[in-house]
Amino acid sequence: MSRFLAIDADQGGIHVAVGTGARGGTVRVEHALTVPVTELLTPANAADLGRQLRDALRAGGIAAGPTLATVGRDRVILKDVKIPRVGPSEEPNLVRFQATKDATEASDAVVLDYYTLDRDDPDGQVRAVTVSVRKDVVAAYKALCQAAGLKLAGVTPRPQGALAALERAIATGAVTEPEAKRASVAVLTRGEKWGELLIARDGQVVFSRAVSATALNSESQILSELRRNLAVYNGQSPQQPVEAVYVAEAAGPVGWSGRIRSGLQVPVQAFDPLAGVESFTPADARGHFATLVGLLQLKTRGTRLPIDLAAPREPVVARSSSRNLMAAGVAVLAFLIIGGLGFGYMKVKAKDATYAKLTAEKVDLEKTMKDYEEDDKRIKALKEWDESRINWLDEIYDLTARFPDIKNARLEQFRAEPLTVQKGAKTKYVARITLKVATNDPNLMNNLQNGMNADKKYHNINKQIKPTTGLSGGFTQTYEVRADIERRPANEYVRKLTATAPSKPSKLSDTGSGSDLEGGFGGQVNE
C-alpha cells in the first residue's frame, strides 16, 4: 500500500500528517505531528527548518517517504479564464497566455498550474481555474524536504486538500452531504493565524477566499465575511447556490460551527480531520490537518493532483495509431502516415516555439510600456512644475530697475507668494506680489503702476492707500500695490538697471563716535 507524508509549514509550526492507503479508496491517518518553529518558511531558512523537521520525525518514530506540501491561499493567485476548445498539445500554453496577460508578476518568476472545470460555458468555451505562486515558495519547500531527507512529491494550495478532507468525512459518515444533486458546498478551515473559505461544486473548487485577520477571533466579523462571500458566489451561480457549510475543527466543546450556525440560513456541520488519531497537536491547528489529510486522500487515488505546483501541466503531443496500420501490413501506407506525423509534429513544435517567443516578446513589450508610462508621468510632473515656477531674482531686479525714485519713495515691504495654476485658465498666474511703498508724491506711485501695466506679464493690478506708520521715514502716505504675475521665460527679462552706485563711505577711526555716520543712530546707548 502507498504511504505518504503531508506537510504544511506556516509561521508557528510545521504540521505533519502520515497516511497509508486503505480499502475503499480512503486513507488511514497514522500520525499527526506539529513541530514548533518561530519563522515563516523562506529559501533562506529552509535548510535550518528542514533539519528541525528531520530531528522531530526521528524522535516521533516516523520514517521518511514521498511528501506532499500545501501552500496557503494568501500566497497563491487564483484566476478563472476561458479558452477555446483545443487539443492537449495547445491547451497548457493557451491557458498560461490567458492567465499571465494581465499579471503583475513576470511569467518567469512564478509557477503556474491549472485544471479545467467539468462544465463548459454557454458560448462553447472551456473554463479553467489557474493557480500561480512565486518560484521561491516552491524552492523553499524543495530545500526543506531535501534537508529533512524527504522527497517532495507535490505542492498544492490548501483549498484542494480541504475539499478532499470533506469528501473523506462524507465517505466515512462523519457528516452528511446535501440532498440536492450537484449542490454547491462551502468548507471553512482555520489555523492558528489564518482562515480560509472555499466553495466547491461537482467535486471541484470554484471559489476560495482568505479570511481576514480581524475576523479570526470575532464572531460578528466572521459571520459578516461568510455572508458576504456566500452572497457573492450565489449571485454568480443562482442556479446552484450553496446548500451547506462544513467547518473543520477539533471535536469537543462548541467551536466555530456552533458560533456561526445561528447566523446562517444554510445547515452548518463540523468534522474533525484527526478523529480517531492519537496526536498531540493544538486544537486551533485542525485547519492545517484538514488540508493534509485531504492531500493524503487525493494521493491514495493514484491519480495526478488537481493542482501540482511542483510539476505543472506541460503541452502533450498526441500520438498516432500508426501501430495498428503497421500491424495491418500496409508498409507503404504506414510509412506515409509516420512521415506525415513527423512533419506535423515538427510544425506543432515550431508553432509552440513561435508562440513562446511571441509570449516572451509580449511580456517584454508590456514591461517596456509600463516603464515608458512611468517616464511620461515624471516628464508631465516636471513640465507642470516648470510651468508654475518663477525666477524671483529676475523679478526683484526688474522691480529695482522700475522703481521710480529711491529718494522720494521707499519700499517698506516686498511680499511674494506662489499661486496654484487653475486648470483650463486662459491666462495662468503663477505668483502674486504685494508692494508696500511710502512716499509724499502720488505721481511716483502712478508711474510705478503705469510701468507695471505696460508690462503685459502683470495682471489684476490693484493699488490701495494704507495708514502711515511711525516707521515711514517722514513720508506722509503709504500705498499697497498688489499684482498677479504670469510666468515668463528667462530671455524676456531684458530690463537694465541704470542707477548710479552710491559712493563708498569713509572708514571710521577707532575713536570715532556713531554720530559721524550720516543717518546714524542718535542718543545714548545704555549698556
Side-chain angles (χ1 to χ4, degrees):
M1 294 185 179
S2 57
R3 175 181 176 275
F4 289 90
L5 282 72
I7 61 175
D8 187 346
D10 199 0
Q11 188 172 1
I14 302 176
H15 308 276
V16 185
V18 184
T20 303
R23 292 181 179 179
T26 61
V27 64
R28 184 176 75 253
V29 182
E30 300 173 349
H31 300 282
L33 174 69
T34 297
V35 183
V37 296
T38 59
E39 300 176 284
L40 181 66
L41 176 64
T42 64
N45 62 16
D48 292 337
L49 297 182
R51 287 187 285 270
Q52 295 182 41
L53 176 59
R54 178 194 60 196
D55 296 341
L57 293 177
R58 289 177 179 175
I62 300 175
T67 302
L68 308 170
T70 184
V71 181
R73 172 64 181 85
D74 57 341
R75 304 187 74 179
V76 300
I77 298 176
L78 272 66
K79 192 172 183 180
D80 194 345
V81 300
K82 295 180 182 181
I83 61 170
R85 186 174 297 280
V86 295
S89 63
E90 298 178 7
E91 184 181 89
N93 278 337
L94 192 55
V95 170
R96 184 179 297 273
F97 172 76
Q98 292 284 25
T100 59
K101 64 180 182 179
D102 296 325
T104 56
E105 293 278 0
S107 59
D108 57 353
V110 299
V111 179
L112 185 144
D113 199 9
Y114 72 97
Y115 59 89
T116 57
L117 298 179
D118 291 338
R119 67 195 186 284
D120 290 344
D121 229 50
D123 57 6
Q125 291 186 310
V126 177
R127 294 186 62 187
V129 177
T130 65
V131 180
S132 59
V133 67
R134 291 187 59 85
K135 286 184 177 179
D136 56 2
V137 176
V138 179
Y141 266 118
K142 290 181 178 179
L144 173 75
C145 291
Q146 183 177 5
L150 305 173
K151 180 182 179 182
L152 186 63
V155 178
T156 197
R158 285 182 187 145
Q160 300 295 329
L163 175 58
L166 171 63
E167 293 174 347
R168 177 177 180 269
I170 293 175
T172 58
V175 293
T176 58
E177 60 183 337
E179 296 181 359
K181 298 297 183 181
R182 303 184 63 190
S184 299
V185 297
V187 182
L188 181 64
T189 55
R190 177 192 179 189
E192 299 93 326
K193 299 180 180 181
W194 60 269
E196 294 180 0
L197 172 72
L198 72 90
I199 299 176
R201 183 171 67 241
D202 299 331
Q204 293 180 308
V205 177
V206 295
F207 182 94
S208 65
R209 292 288 188 275
V211 177
S212 66
T214 57
L216 288 177
N217 297 301
S218 171
E219 179 178 344
S220 60
Q221 292 194 30
I222 189 64
L223 274 172
S224 177
E225 284 202 23
L226 285 174
R227 293 193 193 102
R228 182 171 60 254
N229 286 318
L230 293 178
V232 169
Y233 174 79
N234 291 339
Q236 296 172 351
S237 305
Q239 302 301 323
Q240 292 177 306
V242 173
E243 299 287 347
V245 175
Y246 299 89
V247 182
E249 60 184 2
V254 175
W256 272 27
S257 59
R259 288 152 55 188
I260 67 175
R261 183 175 290 115
S262 60
L264 298 178
Q265 297 181 353
V266 294
V268 178
Q269 301 182 58
F271 68 95
D272 185 355
L274 295 183
V277 179
E278 183 177 355
S279 65
F280 301 95
T281 60
D284 287 344
R286 284 303 191 267
H288 292 282
F289 288 101
T291 299
L292 300 182
V293 170
L295 286 183
L296 297 174
Q297 177 67 45
L298 287 173
K299 205 61 181 177
T300 56
R301 297 174 182 173
T303 58
R304 186 187 186 280
L305 294 174
I307 294 292
D308 189 352
L309 298 170
R313 286 173 171 80
E314 299 292 343
V316 178
V317 179
R319 296 182 178 179
S320 167
S321 58
S322 58
R323 292 185 179 179
N324 295 333
L325 298 177
M326 294 174 63
V330 187
V332 176
L333 184 58
F335 175 77
L336 294 175
I337 292 176
I338 293 173
L341 287 175
F343 179 76
Y345 177 79
M346 293 175 61
K347 286 290 187 181
V348 170
K349 294 296 290 183
K351 287 187 176 294
D352 286 345
T354 302
Y355 179 80
K357 180 181 178 181
L358 292 175
T359 301
E361 290 178 356
K362 175 181 176 293
V363 172
D364 291 340
L365 290 174
E366 288 177 345
K367 183 177 182 301
T368 301
M369 287 179 64
K370 289 183 179 179
D371 293 340
Y372 285 160
E373 288 175 358
E374 292 298 323
D375 291 342
D376 186 57
K377 290 179 182 178
R378 295 189 184 97
I379 292 171
K380 288 181 178 178
L382 180 60
K383 183 178 179 182
E384 289 178 359
W385 171 81
D386 184 63
E387 290 178 349
S388 63
R389 70 188 184 94
I390 189 168
N391 192 324
W392 288 112
L393 292 178
D394 284 334
E395 285 293 331
I396 295 174
Y397 181 91
D398 278 10
L399 174 62
T400 305
R402 186 185 293 114
F403 203 76
D405 187 348
I406 61 174
K407 293 182 179 180
N408 296 314
R410 183 172 69 181
L411 178 64
E412 292 187 337
Q413 185 184 71
F414 174 88
R415 186 170 71 248
E417 55 184 321
L419 296 178
T420 301
V421 178
Q422 300 297 324
K423 292 185 177 180
K426 185 176 180 180
T427 303
K428 298 181 179 179
Y429 309 134
V430 297
R432 175 176 294 163
I433 62 171
T434 303
L435 309 177
K436 190 173 182 182
V437 182
T439 183
N440 293 328
D441 187 356
N443 291 328
L444 294 179
M445 291 307 303
N446 293 335
N447 294 338
L448 177 60
Q449 184 175 3
N450 292 336
M452 295 176 70
N453 282 325
D455 191 329
K456 300 304 182 181
K457 297 298 182 179
Y458 292 93
H459 303 273
N460 304 326
I461 301 173
N462 181 26
K463 183 180 69 175
Q464 296 180 358
I465 300 176
K466 296 292 183 178
T468 302
T469 65
L471 301 178
S472 298
F475 294 111
T476 60
Q477 193 65 57
T478 301
Y479 296 87
E480 183 179 273
V481 180
R482 182 178 301 171
D484 295 336
I485 305 177
E486 180 183 352
R487 183 186 178 278
R488 75 177 85 196
N491 60 3
E492 291 188 13
Y493 288 97
V494 296
R495 190 178 296 274
K496 297 294 183 180
L497 178 62
T498 59
T500 304
S503 59
K504 184 176 181 182
S506 61
K507 185 177 181 181
L508 296 176
S509 63
D510 294 338
T511 60
S513 66
S515 61
D516 291 336
L517 291 174
E518 182 180 354
F521 293 103
Q524 183 178 0
V525 178
N526 296 322
E527 295 185 356

